[in-house]
Amino acid sequence: MSSIKERLALLRQAMKAEGLSAYIITSSDAHLSEYTPSRWQGRSWISGFNGSAGTVVVTLDKAGLWTDSRYFLQGAAQLEGSTIELYKMGVPGTPSIEGFLAEELGAGAVVGADGICLSLAEAEDTRHQLEVYGISYRLDTDLLD
């Protein structure tokens, strides 16, 4: 099996081929289940983090995992040596995913996600938050398939 660093490199190649500056990987499947079948465990596969809640964001040169306080210790341990940074949701100073993307990417950037794994409300909320920064949000690409 390939290492997390190798998987991130492959994802970044796929992102470049699709014209994406970042890719968001959630914890859910096409049914928005919290506990997903192995086919839909892309967040765990790309990061090594197997907690039930969290989101990974990969840019062309950085990666982060956003999770809540239930998983701070587990996340830190499972991400060790992976080049993926832990972002502790709810802790002062921790940027939101959209805030992180706004800091890392410029206007005109395109962020992708597998839209089948998002609720309409979640997808539209993220789209609106990114539009403020001139960032587009594509939901038509499953780069982990």
Side-chain angles (χ1 to χ4, degrees), residues 59-123:
T59 69
L60 296 175
D61 58 358
K62 289 186 177 181
L65 165 73
W66 277 255
T67 194
D68 62 46
S69 61
R70 295 174 293 168
Y71 297 108
F72 289 174
L73 294 175
Q74 178 182 344
Q78 291 180 331
L79 295 177
E80 191 172 336
S82 71
T83 72
I84 299 172
E85 187 173 340
L86 177 63
Y87 289 89
K88 298 176 178 180
M89 294 169 55
V91 173
T94 299
S96 66
I97 289 171
E98 296 83 5
F100 167 83
L101 290 169
E103 286 180 24
E104 295 298 319
L105 310 176
V110 180
V111 173
D114 183 2
I116 199 166
C117 296
L118 302 170
S119 70
L120 179 60
E122 181 181 12

Side-chain angles (χ1 to χ4, degrees), residues 3 6 19 24-25 28 35 44 46 53 76-77 79 82-86 106 113 115-116 138 140:
S3 73
E6 291 168 328
I24 299 173
I25 306 163
S28 60
Y35 298 100
S44 178
I46 199 71
L79 295 177
S82 71
T83 72
I84 299 172
E85 187 173 340
L86 177 63
I116 199 166
R138 273 185 49 199
D140 62 346

Side-chain angles (χ1 to χ4, degrees), residues 131-144:
E131 282 176 351
V132 170
Y133 302 103
I135 299 171
S136 300
Y137 193 36
R138 273 185 49 199
L139 300 173
D140 62 346
T141 308
D142 178 3
L143 295 182
L144 301 183

